[in-house]
Amino acid sequence: MTYRAPTTEQLFVLDHIARIDAMATHERFAAATPDMVEAIVTGIGDFAAEVYAPLNRVGDVQNPKWEDGRVTMPPGFKDAYRQFVDGGWGTIDGPAAYGGQDLPFTLATVVIEALGSADMGFTLCNILTPGAIHALMAYGTEEQRQTWLPKLVTGEWNGTMNLTEPAAGSDVGALRATAEKVTEGPNAGLYRIKGQKIFITFGEHDLTDNIVHLVLARTPGAPEGTRGISLFLVPKYRLDDASNPTLSNGVHCASIEHKLGIHGSPTAVMVYGEGEDCLGEIVGDEMGGMRAMFVMMNNARLMVGCQGVQIAERATQQAQRYAAERVQSALAGSADRAPVAIAHHPDVKRMLWRMRAQTEAARALIYYAAAQTDFGKLGDEAAAMRADILIPLAKAHATDIGCEVASLGVQVHGGMGFIEETGAAQHYRDARIAPIYEGTNGIQAADLVGRKLGMAGGEAVRELIDDIARGGADFPELTALAEACRAVTDWMAGANAPDRLAGSYPYLTMLATATCGWLMAIQHQGATAALAQGGGDTAFLQAKLVSTRFYLQQIVPAATGLAPSALAGDAALEPVPAIN
């Protein structure tokens, strides 16, 4: 399963979609010069291919091992992670005051994409730590930042997010973990944490000498539901007087899950405060936990959307190589009856171009969302609002694309795709978690119609549709989809909650596909201009014209057909009969 980072493609999207050059005109991101950007993108591509990619199959077949509360990672993982830390790859967008490089988040997204395409399960360790950093920057005290951020920024310690409990699932407000404030003694001001959390990614491992858990819990007397939740920083080990992680803190891994995919990632059941005190520091105010956690959660949701790109890229590369090597059957309609590589058969070509076009569209969506986040940091309020709208689209649609492309990858391999040794099945298994965690894709659709649709009185979504319509004026298929999105948006604005929710998923798919179509149209125009000027990689640019046309002419029209489902309302969804 050879992997090569799509460096030319990544740089093209950074230029034409993320507008990385415009970021560099601001003092904050002035270091993101073209040479620096190219060095980072090329460097992480080489690192991912050489260090992370060889471990992808290792982690799939030699899973992390749990024993007596400790987790041992598969062979090679610890050394690879140390090389990640030593290379400074975790510091890209970290705050400079705490050891980071203060470069755009968009560049950090490229780093995560390259690592995750090489090894999606392993890279989960790298995904959540930046969210912890952002939460502490937004709501932590200066003492907390000085204490915890330097080693979180470098990756010497990793961060986790602890929301889910056995009886709560996606209903975070139903959690039962508790936090009682210590009022006397040397630990006064800290909180005793008690409870159990499940599905904690990299909640326990041997890659670092400390793990910093961000845990949602309820203080005594706090109201039920999300309003009564607070956020706590709970390290695996507390720090001694020399700031070394040596003090046991009552954090225990009860087990790790046996999963369909991402076998290289230990998914832990964590128990806090059982048998000994577990002490945590509050982050932000009491009962302000959800506000603080959303900083971390939004980052994680975009990074999970990036996982859709990762698995789609890896599956596409493998399918394309296999199709070029697998010789079977003569070409239909050809006088020459000699068998040819299956890449020449029309239906295989269709699948390969669909895989490539969908992958490129998802990448553009993720980079665009990341870039809008960066422009928001630079004071562009419209960009910050656009980023908020894009989060559910990026998380849900890009992960749906990851599943579709991984499935097509199996199909291209035919019967061999169903055999584990080829590796195509691993991509399919790994991809399936992404639409589920960090808020299921149904929750993302509910967020779109429940909260994002009403932003700025509904104008924020309409402005996105206006941009799509203007940018896609040369493509009638995209114009039709934009107008269909506008009609559904207007209907949604006046519909009741059950009717909006009934049509939320097809509506999200329509709006996300339209956004991707717009971003593909921009790339089509950019490739056309570059070819006319005679610059750039001609083969790449010509392939870009094909993939963008394929997306706009074959994928966009199908999304327009989802409008009746989006408009059907709750009455169309009768209760499903019970199975007797």
Side-chain angles (χ1 to χ4, degrees), residues 46-64:
D46 292 342
F47 177 85
E50 295 167 8
V51 180
Y52 269 41
L55 299 175
N56 188 53
R57 190 63 174 168
V58 174
D60 191 52
V61 298
Q62 299 182 53
N63 307 164

Side-chain angles (χ1 to χ4, degrees), residues 75-94:
F77 276 55
K78 194 167 186 177
D79 179 63
Y81 188 80
R82 176 50 51 189
Q83 291 185 57
F84 166 84
V85 174
D86 291 345
W89 293 114
T91 68
I92 297 296
D93 71 327

Side-chain angles (χ1 to χ4, degrees), residues 378-396:
L378 296 173
D380 187 336
E381 295 181 2
M385 187 176 297
R386 176 67 57 88
D388 281 343
I389 292 169
L390 292 169
I391 291 295
L393 305 184
K395 193 279 179 184

Side-chain angles (χ1 to χ4, degrees), residues 160 162 203 211-215 232-236 251 270 272:
T160 76
N162 286 238
I211 303 170
V212 180
H213 302 284
L214 289 191
V215 181
F232 299 89
L233 186 155
V234 184
K236 177 180 178 180
V251 176
M270 302 299 299
Y272 296 94

Side-chain angles (χ1 to χ4, degrees), residues 165-249:
E165 297 185 7
S170 296
D171 184 6
V172 176
L175 66 80
R176 289 291 174 259
T178 62
E180 185 174 354
K181 193 170 186 177
V182 179
T183 57
E184 299 178 347
N187 296 320
L190 299 178
Y191 289 74
R192 290 190 182 91
I193 311 297
K194 290 187 177 181
Q196 184 184 81
K197 299 289 182 176
I198 61 173
F199 302 151
I200 308 307
T201 300
F202 275 90
E204 166 60 23
H205 56 81
D206 63 352
L207 301 178
T208 64
D209 62 5
N210 207 3
I211 303 170
V212 180
H213 302 284
L214 289 191
V215 181
L216 290 182
R218 200 181 307 278
T219 52
E224 294 296 309
T226 56
R227 290 189 305 113
I229 293 174
S230 302
L231 180 64
F232 299 89
L233 186 155
V234 184
K236 177 180 178 180
Y237 294 107
R238 285 180 285 131
L239 308 184
D240 59 23
D241 292 340
S243 297
N244 294 317
T246 61
L247 307 177
S248 178
N249 194 33

Side-chain angles (χ1 to χ4, degrees), residues 455-500:
M455 290 175 64
E459 288 307 304
V461 170
R462 290 187 176 91
E463 287 173 4
L464 172 60
I465 296 172
D466 289 343
D467 285 345
I468 293 167
R470 281 192 296 269
D474 293 337
F475 300 94
E477 299 89 351
L478 184 55
T479 301
L481 177 56
E483 293 312 309
C485 287
R486 194 186 310 279
V488 175
T489 299
D490 292 342
W491 179 86
M492 287 273 181
N496 60 35
D499 285 342
R500 286 201 309 273

